[in-house]
Amino acid sequence: MERWISLHEKLKEHWVFNDHNALRIWLLLLWDANYKNIKVRIDGQLMEVKTGQYVTSIRQLAMRYGFSRYIISKVLDDLEKDGMILREPIGRTWTLLTIVYYAKYQGKQAKNEKCSASDS
């Protein structure tokens, strides 16, 4: 199955664009976020993970994306401070990452909408 993501040209003016690690991690998060609601079992509990969300851990992201845990943590902190993601701990190990405007900019209506890079 092929998947693609939408990017607005204003991304070139956003701080993420000028930070190689942040840009790569941001793009990978966009690709890995769920494009539809799904149910997953986390630590024995069934939970719904919605469009634009992703259940993961710092360790898992570091292994998957090829960065140190420190870099992953730093970039996620910056993305969260900028309002681009939300993080919610699930148990002791897992984190529910939410891409804040995912549905707006990655949904079917994204082709016809203008968006601000600071809102992505």
Side-chain angles (χ1 to χ4, degrees):
M1 176 174 109
E2 288 186 13
R3 286 194 54 199
W4 54 272
I5 57 173
S6 296
L7 297 174
H8 194 277
E9 66 180 322
K10 284 190 176 184
L11 178 63
K12 294 183 292 187
E13 301 165 13
H14 195 273
W15 69 266
V16 168
F17 189 79
N18 294 313
D19 182 325
H20 174 76
N21 292 338
L23 179 62
R24 184 165 173 224
I25 291 167
W26 176 243
L27 293 176
L28 291 168
L29 289 173
L30 288 174
W31 268 306
D32 286 344
N34 291 324
Y35 64 93
K36 64 180 181 177
N37 294 354
I38 63 168
K39 290 187 180 180
V40 296
R41 187 171 302 280
I42 302 294
D43 293 336
Q45 299 287 335
L46 190 62
M47 68 176 288
E48 183 175 24
V49 181
K50 297 181 180 177
T51 300
Q53 294 182 323
Y54 182 35
V55 176
T56 190
S57 68
I58 298 294
R59 182 174 173 265
Q60 189 177 54
L61 289 174
M63 289 173 39
R64 181 171 169 86
Y65 296 168
F67 288 100
S68 70
R69 290 185 209 177
Y70 173 81
I71 290 174
I72 294 289
S73 293
K74 177 69 174 118
V75 170
L76 291 180
D77 286 346
D78 291 343
L79 294 173
E80 188 170 36
K81 285 177 189 170
D82 199 28
M84 298 167 71
I85 65 168
L86 299 172
R87 291 188 285 182
E88 179 183 335
I90 302 172
R92 295 182 335 160
T93 308
W94 301 101
T95 299
L96 178 66
L97 287 178
T98 301
I99 308 295
V100 174
Y101 291 107
Y102 184 90
K104 182 175 181 181
Y105 300 125
Q106 301 303 319
K108 292 177 183 175
Q109 74 276 17
K111 293 182 215 172
N112 300 322
E113 284 191 18
K114 293 183 179 180
C115 63
S116 166
S118 63
D119 290 342
S120 57

